[in-house]
Amino acid sequence: MDRDEELLRGRVYGQDHDDPRPGPRPGRVYAELVGGPLDGLLLDVTDRTPEQRAAGAALETELGRYGAGGRSLYDPRPGDPGRLDWSGDMP
């Protein structure tokens, strides 16, 4: 299975778990979250500027070290813009 096919099977961060279409949408660009509590989810990066993509993402999640209201931090993987690596959690 190639990477594009893998991405099409994934769930997107921020979509409701009972969304009838929980996967990626055509015409959008996604990065895979690797490691940490959001491992395997896809993050829609379509509308992010190159500077925003380079800064990574602080994503709200109840699954991280700090529970409800906490954030998990994901940094761009050098040389692979399609993946963001978990770097820790923050309150």
Side-chain angles (χ1 to χ4, degrees):
M1 170 178 350
D2 69 15
R3 187 167 176 343
D4 289 337
E5 189 176 333
E6 257 181 63
L7 286 176
L8 291 175
R9 294 174 175 230
R11 284 191 43 233
V12 177
Y13 169 82
Q15 287 184 334
D16 291 335
H17 66 277
D18 57 354
D19 187 327
R21 295 181 52 206
R25 303 244 159 68
R28 308 294 294 175
V29 177
Y30 297 92
E32 179 183 4
L33 302 174
V34 180
L38 303 174
D39 185 51
L41 292 180
L42 302 175
L43 179 65
D44 187 339
V45 296
T46 306
D47 298 325
R48 292 180 181 225
T49 66
E51 293 80 18
Q52 289 170 324
R53 288 186 193 191
L59 305 172
E60 292 181 20
T61 181
E62 297 177 3
L63 304 174
R65 177 177 179 189
Y66 297 98
R71 294 177 183 271
S72 287
L73 307 174
Y74 285 84
D75 296 322
R77 181 179 289 183
D80 188 352
R83 291 199 167 93
L84 297 171
D85 293 312
W86 178 69
S87 60
D89 295 320
M90 63 183 272

